Amino acid sequence: MNALTGVLRYLGNYAISSVWRLGYGARLFLLTLLYSGESFKRFQLVLKELYSIGVLSLVIIMVSGLFVGFVLGLQGYNTLEKYGSEQALGILVALSLVRELGPVVTALLFAGRAGTAITAEIGLMKATEQLSAMEMMAVEPVARVVAPRFWAGVISMPLLAALFSTMGVFGGYIVGVVLIGVDEGSFWSQMQSSVDFHEDILNGVIKSFVFAVAVTAIALLEGYDSKPTAEGVSRATTRTVVTSSLMVLFLDFILTSLMFTS
Amino acid sequence: MSSDNLVEIKDLHFTYDRRPILTGINLSIPRGKVVAIMGGSGSGKTTLLRLIGGQLKPNSGTVKVDGEVVNEMSHKELYALRRRMGMLFQFGALYTDLSVYDNVAFPLREHTNLTESMIHDLVLLKLNAVGLRGAHKLMPADLSGGMARRVALARAIALDPMLIMYDEPFTGLDPISLGVTGNLIRRLNDALGATSIMVTHDVQESLQIVDYIYFVSNGQIVAQGTPDEIRNTELPFVHQFIYGEIDGPVPFHYPADPIARDLQVEARG
Amino acid sequence: MIERTKMDLWVGVFVAAGFAGLLFLSMKVGNMSGFSVTNGYTLHAYFDNVGGLKVRAPVKSAGVVVGRVSEIKFDNERYEADVVMKIDGRFKFPKDTSASILTSGLLGEQYIGLDAGGDDQMLKNGDKFQITQSAVVLEKLISQFMYNKASESDSNKK
């Protein structure tokens, strides 16, 4: 009997705190949008975050894209070769990158590289009372700290995903055409004839835009809501990676089923 | 501007997580004075500062600053009020991604339309006032604890506030920095014609610089007076606090069962 | 802490590179630069069997893309597939042009091939092809081949 009430109490507690967090997150998100005008007026703030969120993620994204392209080239060739249709390698590499791997892997890497940095930075600013100090100086932290980072993330991710896919296509080209010797002409022409601008590329960009909003918002919320202690910040950082990765994969499923089933 | 008191607190109650922190505080801070709020660790002193700054809302009672009730202000009014307040946080709370110069320039850039050359002059003047003009190119990570706090002080007075609040300004300072900081608080207050509230548990340093002292314990004001009155007080709590006696009204032990029972050595039967 | 001008430069490089990537994907990987029908006319063709023909499959004449399949539906009166295709307005075809469903390579994608006839009158918007040839279904082809082989060997025995 005691164990049962214990479980129920735990469940109730969990439900209440989840709903509370959801509301808190929604409120922060709305405030962020509300104060976005201010950060666009002072674009230097966004620019600074674009540097630390976008530029500093460039290397990991581009190198990963290249290697994913290599692997796609190899695996795709090995499979397609069995059916004698290795000319379709270009299609396989390009479609898997543009539709899925580009947006998804970029979002996952972004969560690990930039999302954790955002959470840890804001968490530490909170722990060292920098956010409090800002409030006391009559500067709204959401406007000065949160909103610029949000927009930097939202701008960065689709660009990073495009670079990832581009590097991936080059990777597939290097392995497939240069190393293995698939015909260069059919590699490109088959790719072009079956990759559609609206259907594939635009949808890929929309995907990475949605992922960008999700990952950046989660990273910001976790940082802003973290307990102002060393342990609290470390937990928040971990939660950023876990929650945003799950969210990206879940959203990917939803978006894919909306976009690619007619 | 009718009242001579810049800050007036009446019957203030504040509860955090169902735990009562403040239970009926009444105090007033006269204009132009430096007032210390003292009390043991965890007695709710810092909470009191946050209530004055409007970062927390009381459960009941009123906080009046310059004749206006802080806890009934809208977000906008509150932010307008805060422009006339400066606050020094316990460890400075400098922005670690900005240099010393940019930290002090921060409130000026946020709230004024001054040209960069005017900001430059103002920043160097403020830094000069705390003796750190030569350090304006350093990053916060390069500063010692005492220096960081002085930079934060320069930042807090950048907009020439009418009210300066200090949260534990003496914690973790060596004796020299301690003297320097105490001296600065007094001099800046008089030079700016401001009013200062200082939350601290450093008795000796405070007694030398403040005009008036409030003692907070268990969420209430238990004693008050000028430094001389406090030194000669007969109140056992204040006496214990000032002279640092180990046992007294504030017991050495956290409330517990008798030790014999905890250690199970009580005679049976 | 990085200098501000240097930071601006890097952000500029990043944004430019990102857009270059998007452009590359649209132009080189995708087919935005390629064929798209903007002001064209529609033609109908009825087939017994469309096989694996899909919407957006190319319509080619002499190997050059001249249009795309815009719709494939089943006509319940003729019991045939009605393939609607959009042809680029620059290209005109005679009335007796034939449409056939062809396959690029043995297992490649299927497309519609147009063989121009010699009629004076041209096909107009909404017209349908008189002569069509359905998709070659591989299974049928194979069974036909096997049947022929079998009958060949039968006749050889005699």
Side-chain angles (χ1 to χ4, degrees):
Chain A
M1 198 60 207
N2 247 341
L4 185 68
T5 53
V7 168
L8 284 177
R9 197 175 304 143
Y10 177 80
L11 261 178
N13 203 336
Y14 185 80
I16 288 173
S17 70
S18 310
V19 170
W20 190 87
R21 266 180 72 82
L22 205 67
Y24 186 87
R27 194 172 147 263
L28 182 68
F29 188 70
L30 283 179
L31 274 179
T32 305
L33 295 184
L34 205 69
Y35 285 116
S36 293
E38 246 172 90
S39 41
F40 276 108
K41 251 182 261 163
R42 293 170 60 189
F43 203 69
Q44 194 62 36
L45 291 176
V46 181
L47 219 62
K48 194 175 155 198
E49 300 308 326
L50 270 175
Y51 180 80
S52 59
I53 290 173
V55 175
L56 296 183
S57 306
L58 262 181
V59 174
I60 182 174
I61 293 286
M62 290 179 74
V63 172
S64 311
L66 194 65
F67 278 100
V68 167
F70 286 163
V71 171
L72 276 177
L74 267 179
Q75 294 281 22
Y77 179 80
N78 286 341
T79 311
L80 291 173
E81 190 227 0
K82 286 182 190 148
Y83 304 100
S85 44
E86 56 266 30
Q87 274 81 16
L89 186 64
I91 304 177
L92 186 136
V93 169
L95 278 188
S96 23
L97 279 166
V98 173
R99 283 184 174 183
E100 288 295 331
L101 293 174
V104 172
V105 178
T106 303
L108 295 179
L109 289 171
F110 187 88
R113 168 65 186 76
T116 50
I118 291 174
T119 306
E121 194 185 6
I122 293 187
L124 280 174
M125 285 183 88
K126 191 177 176 186
T128 54
E129 294 187 307
Q130 291 181 43
L131 295 183
S132 258
M134 219 173 253
E135 274 183 23
M136 281 308 296
M137 277 189 265
V139 176
E140 178 57 54
V142 177
R144 186 67 171 65
V145 176
V146 176
R149 282 169 175 76
F150 177 75
W151 287 108
V154 170
I155 295 170
S156 293
M157 191 156 353
L159 297 178
L160 289 171
L163 283 169
F164 183 96
S165 297
T166 306
M167 293 305 288
V169 170
F170 272 120
Y173 172 80
I174 289 170
V175 167
V177 176
V178 179
L179 296 181
I180 298 177
V182 173
D183 180 59
E184 182 171 355
S186 53
F187 181 87
W188 291 113
S189 69
Q190 292 230 9
M191 187 190 300
Q192 281 178 24
S193 68
S194 30
V195 178
D196 185 68
F197 177 71
H198 284 279
E199 188 94 332
D200 300 314
I201 292 170
L202 222 54
N203 276 346
V205 173
I206 292 171
K207 264 190 184 182
S208 64
F209 177 77
V210 174
F211 296 162
V213 173
V215 172
T216 321
I218 288 172
L220 287 167
L221 172 66
E222 289 294 354
Y224 206 72
D225 190 34
S226 64
K227 285 212 177 67
T229 59
E231 196 207 5
V233 174
S234 93
R235 279 183 173 211
T237 313
T238 311
R239 270 205 308 270
T240 293
V241 177
V242 174
T243 318
S244 52
S245 303
L246 287 177
M247 195 51 135
V248 163
L249 296 173
F250 169 74
L251 284 174
D252 185 46
F253 169 68
I254 301 282
L255 288 174
T256 304
S257 60
L258 285 178
M259 287 170 173
F260 298 110
T261 48
S262 43
Chain B
M1 313 290 156
S2 52
S3 164
D4 284 340
N5 294 329
L6 185 66
V7 179
E8 278 181 6
I9 295 179
K10 286 212 176 73
D11 196 29
L12 191 71
H13 289 258
F14 181 77
T15 309
Y16 181 77
D17 242 9
R18 291 180 212 157
R19 200 158 55 91
I21 308 281
L22 302 175
T23 51
I25 294 264
N26 288 292
L27 62 78
S28 48
I29 314 263
R31 284 177 199 277
K33 303 288 185 195
V34 178
V35 175
I37 297 172
M38 289 197 187
S41 309
S43 59
K45 306 178 306 262
T46 304
T47 308
L48 198 53
L49 278 194
R50 289 184 185 266
L51 284 161
I52 296 173
Q55 285 188 307
L56 296 173
K57 290 236 183 284
N59 297 63
S60 66
T62 53
V63 179
K64 258 191 203 172
V65 175
D66 201 21
E68 293 170 275
V69 181
V70 174
N71 47 309
E72 286 170 2
M73 279 181 174
S74 70
H75 189 260
K76 208 174 158 188
E77 289 169 327
L78 193 58
Y79 270 53
L81 176 71
R82 283 183 188 161
R83 290 186 193 195
R84 299 190 287 151
M85 291 181 173
M87 179 150 173
L88 181 68
F89 283 83
Q90 193 167 357
F91 296 105
L94 293 176
Y95 302 128
T96 40
D97 57 337
L98 300 179
S99 68
V100 166
Y101 178 93
D102 289 328
N103 260 288
V104 180
F106 183 87
L108 296 167
R109 287 187 178 140
E110 292 290 330
H111 293 311
T112 67
N113 292 320
L114 299 175
T115 60
E116 271 304 308
S117 76
M118 286 171 85
I119 287 179
H120 176 264
D121 294 352
L122 274 173
V123 168
L124 290 190
L125 277 176
K126 299 292 173 190
L127 279 172
N128 198 41
V130 298
L132 288 175
R133 185 166 41 87
H136 74 270
K137 279 193 182 134
L138 297 181
M139 295 301 286
D142 306 328
L143 303 175
S144 71
M147 284 163 84
R149 221 164 296 182
R150 277 148 73 192
V151 173
L153 183 52
R155 186 179 66 178
I157 59 166
L159 291 171
D160 294 334
M162 62 173 179
L163 174 66
I164 312 173
M165 293 186 278
Y166 300 90
D167 186 6
E168 305 279 11
F170 302 124
T171 310
L173 293 185
D174 61 75
I176 300 174
S177 306
L178 201 102
V180 169
T181 310
N183 193 306
L184 261 179
I185 291 173
R186 182 76 240 184
R187 275 197 305 136
L188 282 174
N189 186 71
D190 297 345
L192 292 170
T195 307
S196 299
I197 308 175
M198 190 166 80
V199 151
T200 178
H201 46 235
D202 191 298
V203 182
Q204 299 313 327
E205 190 60 38
S206 317
L207 285 176
Q208 289 174 31
I209 59 165
V210 301
D211 299 309
Y212 204 79
I213 298 165
Y214 285 98
F215 275 93
V216 181
S217 178
N218 292 325
Q220 289 186 317
I221 304 282
V222 291
Q224 52 182 292
T226 61
D228 283 337
E229 289 167 5
I230 293 295
R231 279 196 197 96
N232 302 321
T233 185
E234 293 304 316
L235 277 169
F237 166 78
V238 178
H239 198 270
Q240 184 196 358
F241 199 88
I242 295 203
Y243 297 99
E245 291 154 0
I246 290 170
D247 223 342
V250 177
F252 169 68
H253 285 293
Y254 192 81
D257 289 338
I259 189 168
R261 194 183 306 158
D262 269 3
L263 300 182
Q264 297 182 336
V265 292
E266 208 168 3
R268 278 158 214 247
Chain C
M1 192 60 201
I2 182 164
E3 258 178 71
R4 196 168 132 176
T5 47
K6 217 170 164 187
M7 192 180 80
D8 290 356
L9 181 73
W10 269 108
V11 172
V13 168
F14 163 57
V15 173
F19 276 105
L22 273 177
L23 201 70
F24 169 81
L25 291 178
S26 325
M27 295 306 203
K28 189 81 180 154
V29 174
N31 51 11
M32 195 166 81
S33 61
F35 192 86
S36 66
V37 185
T38 43
N39 55 343
Y41 57 103
T42 50
L43 294 176
H44 292 259
Y46 290 91
F47 294 99
D48 295 334
N49 191 337
V50 292
L53 189 72
K54 292 197 176 60
V55 172
R56 294 199 54 75
V59 178
K60 297 181 183 179
S61 185
V64 179
V65 180
V66 295
R68 286 201 183 276
V69 173
S70 53
E71 200 182 353
I72 300 172
K73 55 194 179 196
F74 183 67
D75 189 319
N76 212 2
E77 279 163 23
R78 302 173 62 136
Y79 300 107
E80 281 181 327
D82 176 9
V83 175
V84 187
M85 57 196 95
K86 196 146 180 115
I87 308 290
D88 193 302
R90 288 174 298 170
F91 308 116
K92 302 282 181 213
F93 291 94
K95 276 246 156 152
D96 57 345
T97 298
S98 70
S100 22
I101 297 178
L102 304 170
T103 308
S104 52
L106 190 60
L107 293 164
E109 58 170 352
Q110 289 187 302
Y111 64 95
I112 291 187
L114 303 182
D115 280 315
D119 204 304
D120 289 343
Q121 291 206 301
M122 295 293 167
L123 287 165
K124 294 191 301 292
N125 192 27
D127 283 358
K128 56 179 188 278
F129 290 97
Q130 302 298 331
I131 316 157
T132 62
Q133 193 188 341
S134 288
V136 177
V137 180
L138 203 62
E139 293 92 316
K140 277 190 185 167
L141 204 69
I142 292 170
S143 64
Q144 212 172 358
F145 175 76
M146 300 290 268
Y147 181 77
N148 285 350
K149 273 283 173 200
S151 57
E152 246 174 58
S153 53
D154 274 359
S155 56
N156 283 351
K157 268 179 204 164
K158 280 173 191 171

